[in-house]
Amino acid sequence: MCFGVRDAIALALERAQTEPLTILGDLVHNERVLAELRARGIRVAQHPADVETAAAMVTAHGASEKAMIRARERGLALTEATCPLVRVAHRAVARLVREGCHPVIIGKRDHVEVRGLTEDLADFDVVLSEADIFGLRERARFGVAAQTTQPIERVRRLAELLRLRFPVSEVRFIDTVCQPTKQRQNAALQLARQSDVVVVIGGAHSNNTHELVCACSRDCSRVHHVQTAGDLRPEWFAQARTVGITAGTSTPDSVIDEVEQWLLNCAAALPDTPAAGPVLTQHGQLKAA
Ligand code: SF4
């Protein structure tokens, strides 16, 4: 779990000790963590209008100033659990706009973090593909930033394509992809190259988990996305000697440990899998089966 998500969960638990708390939106895309928060009396609402407590919390993904003002106007006492690296992205976009650039955000248009980055802007574009770049109209100055969990290669490629598409325009690029995402993506690529099968653990709606699946699929043809150990199937590992495990930034350690244990049991039980075959963790640490 990255420090941004971990700190946000800790803050929610701390605040909920003093008064009833509602989290605005999905703090994490992980059902087990959400169930644990609900068990501590913490509620989740997608809109301020649905909040029934006096206190509410903005998630690690952050929110726009407009959204926070709207929530406060409803009388909510807001706590911000915005990740410091999401704040860096907000500041980068604000700086690009101040310097006269038309903001282009590389990310998913409907993702909560991208909504937070763009809702305060008068004019902007959100792009995710090369086709999106070709759909842009020319501006004198473009300012490019990205959703923090986008793969850095995609971000660099699209920023470069923008320069090629509009050679007369000035294109300024600020790299806002967070360091935990970069490290995890790099580690996942190395892992995929060493593995016969890769298991990616994370929520069904987790963007960085989907990006890990895409990254691993480039170098490994047998990549499976699971939310818990209950999703694993023994037949996925037939003839596999090395299995790689990686996980999205909001996946709890306990879920990862359960998947790893399931795989170790599977390696010992499958007749066509070498019992001595290793299970390889994301950081390349070998664990004997
Ligand atoms: S993925 Fe990166 S930006 Fe998002 S919460 Fe984690 S550290 Fe912060």
Side-chain angles (χ1 to χ4, degrees), residues 116-150:
L117 284 170
T118 56
E119 271 176 0
D120 292 327
L121 304 174
D123 192 15
F124 63 89
D125 282 296
V126 178
V127 297
L128 194 59
S129 67
E130 298 188 358
D132 293 338
I133 296 285
F134 284 100
L136 297 178
R137 77 173 171 87
E138 189 168 19
R139 314 276 179 156
R141 304 183 87 190
F142 287 100
V144 181
Q147 181 183 349
T148 53
T149 50
Q150 283 294 309

Side-chain angles (χ1 to χ4, degrees), residues 205-272:
H205 303 294
S206 159
N207 181 60
N208 71 83
T209 303
H210 283 290
E211 296 295 354
L212 287 173
V213 171
C214 293
C216 292
S217 300
R218 272 188 258 152
D219 286 302
C220 179
S221 58
R222 296 165 70 185
V223 179
H224 297 281
H225 175 186
V226 300
Q227 297 198 68
T228 66
D231 298 333
L232 292 160
R233 298 283 167 267
E235 58 270 25
W236 293 347
F237 308 101
Q239 310 299 332
R241 176 143 197 99
T242 305
V243 178
I245 308 168
T246 184
T249 50
S250 58
T251 308
D253 289 350
S254 60
V255 176
I256 299 170
D257 290 345
E258 283 164 20
V259 168
E260 185 182 31
Q261 192 53 55
W262 189 100
L263 286 165
L264 291 167
N265 294 342
C266 180
L270 274 180
D272 56 356

Side-chain angles (χ1 to χ4, degrees), residues 2-5 60 83 85-86 113 148-149 178 180-181 208 249:
C2 67
F3 76 91
V5 170
C83 173
L85 300 183
V86 173
E113 184 192 320
T148 53
T149 50
C178 76
T181 291
N208 71 83
T249 50

